[in-house]
Amino acid sequence: HVQLVESGGGSVETGGSLRLSCVTAGPRFTRDCMGWFRQFPGKEREGIATITFDGSPEYVDSVSGRFTISRDNARDSLYLQMNNVKTDDTAMYFCVTIRGSYPCRPTESIRAVNYWGQGTQVTVS
């Protein structure tokens, strides 16, 4: 069983920065590919960044150049550094693990996700 616990959300002004963290627990093989999804009110959850176990990241265009995903395998932790945030980034953010049968890419649908964190709210004003 995999557990994902996010922290670091909150309110931030446009142009500011925020760092999300996710502490993980569970079988290591289930956490080879990890990522961050987000959900706007009334919308389906969508991927924004993924990272392989060896640290290769991928981003969707809307966050590329502003957000940085990273992981510390020794600490079983995943991070999302959010810089130059915009009001359009206001959403609930989820730490996820991606099923091994799917590519490690943020453009995969929610069907690629096998475990979700509880989410952390980010509000940009």
Side-chain angles (χ1 to χ4, degrees):
H1 180 65
V2 175
Q3 290 183 308
L4 307 171
V5 180
E6 302 98 334
S7 62
S11 297
V12 61
E13 293 185 348
T14 300
S17 297
L18 207 60
R19 189 190 195 209
L20 307 184
S21 299
C22 173
V23 177
T24 73
R28 180 253 188 247
F29 73 91
T30 63
R31 294 178 279 140
D32 278 351
C33 175
M34 298 194 66
W36 292 93
F37 273 56
R38 66 183 178 185
Q39 185 174 26
F40 303 113
K43 302 287 188 178
E44 189 173 88
R45 297 176 185 182
E46 58 184 35
I48 58 171
T50 53
I51 187 167
T52 61
F53 186 81
D54 62 2
S56 296
E58 281 202 35
Y59 305 92
V60 295
D61 290 345
S62 59
V63 306
S64 182
R66 299 187 300 121
F67 292 7
T68 301
I69 187 172
S70 62
R71 63 191 294 168
D72 184 338
N73 294 327
R75 297 178 182 272
D76 294 321
S77 295
L78 180 73
Y79 307 99
L80 184 70
Q81 178 66 42
M82 306 169 63
N83 295 331
N84 190 24
V85 295
K86 306 174 181 179
T87 54
D88 289 348
D89 294 320
T90 295
M92 184 72 78
Y93 285 74
F94 298 89
C95 172
V96 304
T97 60
I98 302 296
R99 301 178 190 275
S101 56
Y102 284 80
C104 190
R105 307 192 66 182
T107 50
E108 295 297 319
S109 75
I110 59 174
R111 291 173 296 179
V113 177
N114 55 358
Y115 292 101
W116 297 87
Q118 83 285 358
T120 186
Q121 177 68 37
V122 172
T123 301
V124 183
S125 60

